[in-house]
Amino acid sequence: MTDAQETAAASSLRTTGGAPPDDGGSTASGAPTPLLEPREGIPPVIADEASLVEVIAAFAAGSGPVAVDAERASGYRYGQRAYLVQLRREGAGSALIDPVACPDLSALGDVLSDVEWVLHAATQDLPCLREIGMTPTRLFDTELAGRLAGFPRVGLGAMVEGVLGFVLEKGHSAVDWSTRPLPDPWLRYAALDVELLVDLRDALEKELDRQGKLEWARQEFDAIASAPPPEPRKDPWRRTSGMHKVRRRRQLGVVRELWQTRDQIAQRRDVSPGKVLSDAAIVEAALALPVNVHALAALNGFGHRMGRRQLEQWQAAVDRARSLGESQLPQPGQPVAGPPPPRAWADKDPAAAARLSAARSAVSALAEELNMPQENLIAPDAVRRVCWEPPAADRDAVAAALTGYGARPWQVEQVAPVLATALAEPAA
């Protein structure tokens, strides 16, 4: 039994730091224990093929689930690639792998393909892991498990402290993980992130089973593991912060041209787009529609620190937007598949608005009863779609509609009865 398992065994589910209220678990006595060093010390960073082969053999020979984590350089580098991969498995210990030096980890992914992966907030790490050849077929998401179990705080640090009674080191989550060599304090932090992940998984599995939610969690985990990669976002420039201020089509054209120019530069330089030009500066230029470099330089975000050549490239983007014909300018808003925004329902379809109000109240009450967030009980978009184009107000019809919108069987079983009742109430 590991140290963490012994600590967890001392209490059925610790409550320091935020376990579910009234869960029947005992409160831990004394302060949580700081976890300062990995059990076997900081592992060496794997940065060559020979060392990687050894790690692959060790993890193939290990037993039980494998804890997996990845560190990115969000805010520093372009894209969301992994700059460090951390793993831990019984019998293999911990490993830190540099995916820049070892960009193809498919052989490691292959030997772990039939193993359950334990991740925290899996959907955040899976895209960058997929890029380097690592894709699980089975997983356990400790953050999602915490949500389903009703924990009010589901960050990894809060969960480890609340469930296992250990305090993880903080402070390095937002550093530039593309830095080479990585400092020892960062590597210690990274190794500790997977140190107790399997122990946390085991404790949460017991708690979910106690609450009768383990099968629900398994369905959720299977849905994540089997989900295809997301489609590229259409018109990503529309997500520029501050876009609500931009209303005229010509101004929208400026945002699009500046955003695309910035994206090309950021990708070429491998830096975060925000380090090339801020969203606020893009919106400022779109609203002002500067006619020359001098006017552009007077705007916030294009100050004296920006060189003439940079100003000219941004002004060229503005000029391109100014020269577009009306038919080439973007339309305000985006075509939206499905129902309109709920705020417009009262005017467009008062009956649908009444159905949505009743449905939201019913789902909220059920989520509170089950002690979990509403969005984990059922996707809000599924509720909106059922209310906008309602099926017959009976359980089977509602269940079929929810299934068609991607709800898992456990969600359909829980939500369909209350949603059917809610749909019938406004009509009555």
Side-chain angles (χ1 to χ4, degrees), residues 73-80 83 176 178 269-273 275:
S74 304
Y76 297 94
R77 296 289 181 176
Y78 185 86
Q80 293 295 314
Y83 283 94
D176 182 2
S178 68
R269 291 169 49 189
D270 190 21
V271 297
S272 170
K275 290 187 174 297

Side-chain angles (χ1 to χ4, degrees), residues 75-300:
Y76 297 94
R77 296 289 181 176
Y78 185 86
Q80 293 295 314
R81 67 171 296 183
Y83 283 94
L84 188 70
V85 175
Q86 308 102 279
L87 304 100
R88 183 173 181 84
R89 191 181 189 196
E90 187 71 28
S94 295
L96 303 178
I97 303 176
D98 179 357
V100 177
C102 302
D104 182 5
L105 299 185
S106 55
L108 177 60
D110 289 344
V111 301
L112 298 175
S113 62
D114 294 328
V115 176
E116 181 189 81
W117 294 23
V118 184
L119 303 102
H120 192 81
T123 54
Q124 295 182 20
D125 287 338
L126 288 179
C128 70
L129 291 169
R130 189 181 290 116
E131 287 181 358
I132 54 179
M134 296 185 65
T135 304
T137 56
R138 295 187 294 127
L139 63 83
F140 189 106
D141 186 333
T142 51
E143 185 201 49
L144 181 52
R147 291 181 183 278
L148 295 175
F151 284 74
R153 299 166 59 216
V154 293
L156 180 59
M159 295 286 287
V160 167
E161 181 177 340
V163 177
L164 301 178
F166 287 93
V167 179
L168 291 177
E169 183 180 355
K170 301 176 183 178
H172 300 305
S173 61
V175 299
D176 182 2
W177 287 96
S178 68
T179 300
R180 293 296 183 272
L182 286 165
D184 278 356
W186 299 11
L187 296 174
R188 181 181 299 107
Y189 164 91
L192 289 174
D193 264 3
V194 292
E195 182 82 3
L196 300 179
L197 209 48
V198 173
D199 299 282
L200 179 61
R201 171 237 180 271
D202 293 344
L204 289 173
E205 182 179 60
K206 291 178 182 177
E207 176 61 15
L208 287 167
D209 190 36
R210 187 187 72 79
Q211 293 187 24
K213 298 175 180 177
L214 183 55
E215 175 56 28
W216 302 359
R218 287 172 176 158
Q219 291 181 29
E220 292 299 298
F221 302 155
D222 288 345
I224 294 173
S226 62
E231 294 290 329
R233 189 181 298 277
K234 184 180 180 182
D235 291 346
W237 59 270
R238 291 184 183 271
R239 292 178 62 82
T240 303
S241 180
M243 277 288 290
H244 63 281
K245 303 175 186 177
V246 183
R247 302 185 181 279
R248 292 159 49 192
R249 293 180 63 199
R250 185 72 57 188
Q251 295 172 332
L252 290 172
V254 172
V255 172
R256 181 177 64 186
E257 291 292 333
L258 286 171
W259 189 97
Q260 291 175 345
T261 300
R262 179 184 71 174
D263 195 64
Q264 291 167 3
I265 295 169
Q267 187 170 12
R268 185 175 69 246
R269 291 169 49 189
D270 190 21
V271 297
S272 170
K275 290 187 174 297
V276 176
L277 188 69
S278 69
D279 280 9
I282 290 177
V283 171
E284 187 87 4
L287 296 175
L289 292 172
V291 296
N292 54 42
V293 168
H294 179 74
L296 181 68
L299 301 177
N300 290 334

Side-chain angles (χ1 to χ4, degrees), residues 334 336-348 353 356 360 384 388:
Q334 285 180 284
V336 178
R343 64 180 178 273
W345 285 31
D347 292 330
K348 291 179 177 292
L356 182 62
R360 282 175 164 174
R384 287 193 294 268
W388 185 251

Side-chain angles (χ1 to χ4, degrees), residues 13-84:
L13 187 71
R14 304 178 71 109
T15 56
T16 305
D22 302 321
D23 66 353
S26 60
T27 302
S29 60
T33 304
L35 192 64
L36 303 177
E37 289 288 339
R39 291 170 218 177
E40 300 91 15
I42 302 173
V45 177
I46 304 303
D48 61 79
E49 287 302 318
S51 300
L52 179 60
V53 169
E54 293 179 5
V55 164
I56 292 171
F59 275 80
S63 61
V66 57
V68 183
D69 191 19
E71 304 295 347
R72 300 177 296 278
S74 304
Y76 297 94
R77 296 289 181 176
Y78 185 86
Q80 293 295 314
R81 67 171 296 183
Y83 283 94
L84 188 70

Side-chain angles (χ1 to χ4, degrees), residues 283-352:
V283 171
E284 187 87 4
L287 296 175
L289 292 172
V291 296
N292 54 42
V293 168
H294 179 74
L296 181 68
L299 301 177
N300 290 334
F302 299 92
H304 63 278
R305 294 184 179 181
M306 190 171 287
R308 177 79 183 189
R309 185 176 177 183
Q310 290 176 293
L311 288 169
E312 288 174 347
Q313 73 184 359
W314 301 127
Q315 184 61 44
V318 174
D319 292 342
R320 286 195 298 273
R322 292 174 65 92
S323 66
L324 292 173
E326 285 293 322
S327 63
Q328 298 173 297
L329 293 173
Q331 295 293 335
Q334 285 180 284
V336 178
R343 64 180 178 273
W345 285 31
D347 292 330
K348 291 179 177 292
D349 189 338

